Amino acid sequence: MSIIVSAKDLNLYYGAFQALIDVCLDIPEKEITALIGPSGCGKSTFLKTLNRMNDLIPGVKITGELTYHGENIYNGGLDVTVLRKNIGMVFQKPNPFPMSIYDNIAYGPRLHGKLKKAALDDLVERSLKGAVLWDEVKDRLKKSAMGLSGGQQQRLCIARALSVEPDVLLMDEPTSALDPASTAKIEDLMSELKKNYTVVIVTHNMQQAARISDRTAFFLVGVLVEVGQTNDVFSIPRDKRTEDYISGRFG
Amino acid sequence: MRWGVATPSRNKKLSARRRISGGLLKGIVFLCAGVTVALLVGLLGFILYHGLGNINWAFLTTARSALKNTIGIFPNILFTLYIIITALLISLPIGVGASIYLNEYASHKRLARMIEFTAETLTGIPSIIFGLVGYLFFCRMLGLGASILSGALTLVVMVLPIIVRTTQEALKTVPDSYREGAVALGATKWYMIRTIILPSSLDGIVGGCILAIGRIVGESAALIFTAGVGYQLVTNYFQALGTSGGTLSVALYVYVYEQGEFEAGYGIAAILVMIVLLVNFATKLVKKKFKRI
């Protein structure tokens, strides 16, 4: 089991407010790591430090060490666009661009370099197949992505993230805006994805974390309380707070 | 109980009174609506009735000739076009650029608000003041004289706030989730703006342009000072920039007020009214077209 992303004593401040406190967390390759915890516990914040999406928010300060393949993510010389190509992200609400299905998927590859039409077609097909959406949309690739259902839109966003061939996929509550049937499809898809990708998922839904993840990390007010194999965390939590949370006593 | 007891007869009287006052009010608002529509239809009808008869091929395609004693507005049509093109060529990049800065880059919110406030105030200033300032600054200080260029530059100052505001409104309606989505794929900010933000706010930008065109076509006060009232035919655009030329609205003023040529005035008025109608339809069409995406 090799570690692909590693945080050591990571602290994050939004202005005067400290959102992450001394977080140490290793994320192993080709596994699903679930981040759970009540609202405002820092799990989404942690997720967004991994691809530096927090850079968009003014007033954010980060200390400590966060590495991807051993390289410091917050190293000044690092090319953020390359980092984000390697660490893809899927958001809470499906956010397809207002363009055709094809152009949505082709957006990333076009951004990172010129491809021949045939190669691009191939990549679009592979990405859509990777997100198990190809059969549903192959006859209407030129139609607007806004016409897809919510669940299809979210799989489109996953396909879009896959199109730039990342090796880590961050998912920020990817099913919280979806109905149960679409949620089930995305969960199935995630089990497929972990064969080729490392997945880090933030979820409010503990059953979801228990169902799909290999490892679970529990956050509380900016502190990483407990991390371990999902089975262990859910059946024999070491910390009283974890036990209280997963047994539904708060949150 | 101080409340009146609702006896059947009292109820009847009350409801009768309510019916009458309700009916009366409905009549009044109906009349108000009728007056509004009648005003528009009446004005349009009056102008078109008097104007359309004066529009003919020669009127549209020739210049005024003192020799033949004929009136033609071809030069004024061209001057109007030149001014629109010049003013938009300058104000569009500046306006869109400013809006992008304000909406996407400005981290200094106070400065951004100040610029927004300035733009709003500028929209409310009477156009004659723009004319005065344009005359003093462009015509005299910069020595451009009364010319299409001076007029266009004055109008740039006038329509810039319109373009900034409409563009900014459009940029604000682009959801942040698009920005995040693009950035998360590794797009740089500028690439994201170019490929996602600008295309999805194109309707607002086009809408702003159309509004600006409407404003330019209808402008007279600011142009009499700055672009002058010339009516000589100049077909070369670059040559026209340096010559004095009256737009259609200015020509209308000059013909009617200074020369008593009412037929020509009505003709121009009819053309202007049709242009305004056309601009309004174009705006609607653009909105509809972009809505479908």
Side-chain angles (χ1 to χ4, degrees), chain A residues 107-143:
Chain A
Y107 187 85
R110 280 176 180 149
L111 147 79
H112 288 290
K114 274 204 158 42
L115 275 178
K116 290 237 166 61
K117 173 128 188 6
L120 195 58
D121 287 350
D122 185 52
L123 187 58
V124 168
E125 182 175 339
R126 251 189 303 140
S127 305
L128 284 167
K129 278 182 173 156
V132 205
L133 189 61
W134 174 251
D135 289 332
E136 289 161 66
V137 299
K138 64 177 178 219
D139 299 322
R140 47 171 173 155
L141 291 174
K142 296 290 170 199
K143 294 258 169 65

Side-chain angles (χ1 to χ4, degrees), chain B residues 233-250:
Chain B
L233 182 63
V234 184
T235 43
N236 183 320
Y237 171 71
F238 295 99
Q239 198 186 331
L241 284 181
T243 52
S244 151
T247 63
L248 286 169
S249 293
V250 172

